[in-house]
């Protein structure tokens, strides 16, 4: 009888690189309160929905690039950048809802023709430590510095031709766990494995999560190299609360990723 093929998890070894490109097919949601309070009869907490009021698209594709260098058998350094620009426009979807946007506390009401654009960038750089490393399983701990840059531009031509720009940047931290486990290795060397990640975001008045649940299929190349494709579900939530504003957004949906280990 033919012998069973051992299940071996392809991964970057010492002095190897892992590069990948990911596309997140995300449902975009968000809330802004700038300023936090607007003393009108309708909306004192002044929380504005980015989709319903500012017509930011509810669905978008976000590209991500990741580079990791394994400088020791159990240690790696990694950089990730994710971002996109979301443009919306048209009448607001809420009637008779007043709110303020901007330090001048200009009042807007429902069914006004607004133009909006949200520019979002999410960057991470940090260390990854493979606490458990075997032929079939890798359990890693990571700690990253996180930089976020967000700019929301809103204009209204029939309201006097005004434009207001909200901009926020911050430096916070994200720590978490990664888990990869071999499921099956075929006779041609192709390997199916679990690929899960979860991180908690904190510091700089920020709280949030970055969670990824997926499967990866790897194929061997020559000289210890490998290519892979993965897919699954990604959830990113981010909330920053300041005395003068509230900024909250969520990106969630399926993803596809392609990469190379060399």
């Amino acid at each position: 009888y033919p012998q069973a093929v051992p299940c071996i998890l392809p991964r970057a070894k010492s002095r190897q690189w892992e590069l990948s490109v990911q596309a997140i097919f995300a449902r975009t949601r968000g809330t802004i309160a700038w300023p936090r309070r607007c003393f009108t009869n309708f909306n004192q907490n002044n929380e504005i929905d980015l989709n319903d009021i500012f017509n930011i698209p509810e669905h978008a594709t976000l590209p991500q690039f990741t580079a990791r260098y394994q400088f020791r058998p159990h240690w790696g350094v990694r950089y990730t950048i994710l971002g996109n620009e979301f443009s919306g426009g048209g009448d607001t979807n809420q009637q008779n809802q007043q709110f303020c946007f901007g330090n001048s506390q200009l009042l807007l009401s429902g069914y006004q023709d607004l133009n909006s654009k949200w520019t979002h960038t999410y960057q991470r750089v940090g260390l990854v430590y493979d606490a458990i490393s075997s032929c079939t399983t890798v359990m890693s701990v990571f700690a990253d510095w996180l930089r976020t840059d967000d700019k929301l531009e809103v204009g209204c031509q029939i309201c006097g031709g005004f434009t207001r720009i909200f901009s926020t940047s911050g430096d916070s931290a994200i720590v978490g766990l990664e888990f990869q486990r071999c499921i099956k290795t075929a006779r041609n060397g192709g390997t199916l494995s679990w690929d899960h990640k979860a991180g908690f975001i904190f510091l700089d008045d920020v709280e949030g999560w970055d969670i990824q649940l997926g499967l990866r299929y790897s194929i061997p190349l020559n000289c210890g190299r490998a290519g892979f494709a993965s897919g699954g579900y990604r959830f990113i939530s981010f909330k920053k609360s300041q005395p003068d504003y509230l900024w909250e957004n969520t990106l969630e949906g399926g993803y596809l990723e392609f990469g190379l280990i060399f």
Side-chain angles (χ1 to χ4, degrees):
Y1 296 96
Q3 294 183 348
V5 178
C7 199
I8 299 176
L9 181 69
R11 62 188 185 90
K13 298 178 175 60
S14 183
R15 291 186 292 181
Q16 279 195 313
W17 287 88
E18 180 177 319
L19 303 180
S20 66
V21 176
Q22 184 180 106
I24 308 173
F25 308 102
R27 164 71 167 94
T28 62
R29 293 176 291 166
T31 301
I32 185 172
W34 180 51
R36 294 294 296 267
R37 293 291 181 267
C38 180
F39 296 101
T40 70
N41 294 328
F42 297 97
N43 190 16
Q44 291 191 8
N45 64 14
N46 200 39
E47 294 186 4
I48 305 169
D49 188 283
L50 298 185
N51 303 125
D52 289 342
I53 303 299
F54 290 156
N55 288 319
I56 295 297
E58 294 186 355
H59 300 277
T61 301
L62 289 90
Q64 174 182 279
F65 171 76
T66 301
R68 172 175 174 171
Y69 179 66
Q70 195 76 9
F71 61 91
R72 296 287 297 275
H74 289 269
W75 287 93
V77 60
R78 180 172 56 198
Y79 171 75
T80 298
I81 182 169
L82 176 153
N84 208 341
E85 185 178 281
F86 313 88
S87 297
D91 292 341
T92 61
N93 296 330
Q94 300 292 328
Q95 186 178 18
N96 296 327
Q97 179 175 350
Q98 293 184 328
F99 51 87
C100 306
F101 186 72
N103 295 330
S104 62
Q105 297 198 17
L106 178 68
L107 300 181
L108 305 174
S109 60
Y111 293 142
Q112 298 199 46
D113 188 15
L114 300 180
N115 296 313
S116 58
K117 183 171 66 174
W118 172 28
T119 305
H120 174 66
T121 306
Y122 175 96
Q123 298 184 77
R124 291 168 50 180
V125 61
L127 292 172
V128 185
Y129 173 66
D130 298 332
I132 299 175
S133 179
S134 68
C135 292
T136 61
T137 304
V138 176
M139 175 77 76
S140 305
V141 180
F142 65 84
D144 295 354
W145 164 78
L146 171 63
R147 173 75 180 186
T148 56
D149 294 283
D150 291 280
K151 184 170 70 171
L152 179 63
E153 303 176 57
V154 177
C156 180
Q157 296 303 317
I158 66 174
C159 314
F162 85 92
T163 299
R164 297 288 183 269
I165 299 176
F166 169 81
S167 181
T168 180
S169 300
D171 299 301
S172 50
I174 176 170
V175 297
L177 298 173
E178 300 183 2
F179 176 76
Q180 291 181 304
R181 182 175 178 82
C182 183
I183 299 173
K184 184 177 180 58
T185 297
R187 293 193 174 278
N188 63 359
T191 299
L192 182 66
S193 60
W194 297 111
D195 187 9
H196 304 326
K197 303 175 185 178
F200 174 65
I201 304 170
F202 63 100
L203 295 181
D204 193 30
D205 299 316
V206 169
E207 60 182 57
W209 293 91
D210 189 339
I211 299 172
Q212 175 178 302
L213 304 174
L215 290 169
R216 175 185 287 197
Y217 184 75
S218 306
I219 55 173
L221 304 175
N222 59 342
C223 301
R225 301 167 182 166
F228 64 85
S230 65
Y233 172 83
R234 183 89 178 266
F235 173 82
I236 305 172
S237 70
F238 183 89
K239 180 179 180 180
K240 185 166 186 175
S241 181
Q242 296 276 284
D244 56 336
Y245 71 85
L246 170 70
W247 175 247
E248 184 176 6
N249 59 77
T250 301
L251 306 170
E252 61 176 317
Y255 76 87
L256 288 176
E257 184 175 18
F258 300 93
L260 183 66
I261 299 171
F262 61 96

